[in-house]
Amino acid sequence: MEPIRLLLVDDDRTVRDPIRRLFEGLGWRVDEAEDLAAGRRAFERFRPDAVLLDFQLPDGTALDLLPVIRREDEEVPVLILTGHGEIDVAVATIKAGADQFLVKPVELAVLRDLLQRTLEERRSARR
């Protein structure tokens, strides 16, 4: 079986590193990007099974990349990470196609369980 591919888009290495280590430890392939432009290129090249996307990036917000992801793949789970848990931002990202909205710092065990459950739900829905 091919490993699960996770795209992690966050400009903060201190956020990316533990998440990358966690999922690589589970046997997943993780590709990282520091901004929206690199995230877009990585998405097209890497074709992830799931995306973790920071809301605020140096060149825009998750709302700039979400429509691009949804045009390319309506099914890929997208989880938004943010340092600010404002309700209007959460609503906007969910309306734009995000599956979940998580406030940093996120517990790694919660993130792992949520991503695994989301991917399993997608697989079940396809069957």
Side-chain angles (χ1 to χ4, degrees), residues 24-44:
E24 286 179 344
L26 296 172
W28 295 27
R29 287 185 51 213
V30 180
D31 196 5
E32 299 176 55
E34 295 182 349
D35 58 31
L36 293 175
R40 180 181 301 205
R41 288 189 305 272
F43 184 83
E44 292 169 359

Side-chain angles (χ1 to χ4, degrees), residues 101-121:
F101 184 85
L102 305 166
V103 177
K104 297 179 198 175
V106 62
E107 290 185 40
L108 292 178
V110 170
L111 181 60
R112 178 199 62 219
D113 294 347
L114 182 60
L115 259 173
Q116 289 176 325
R117 186 174 58 246
T118 301
L119 286 167
E120 185 54 42
E121 287 170 0

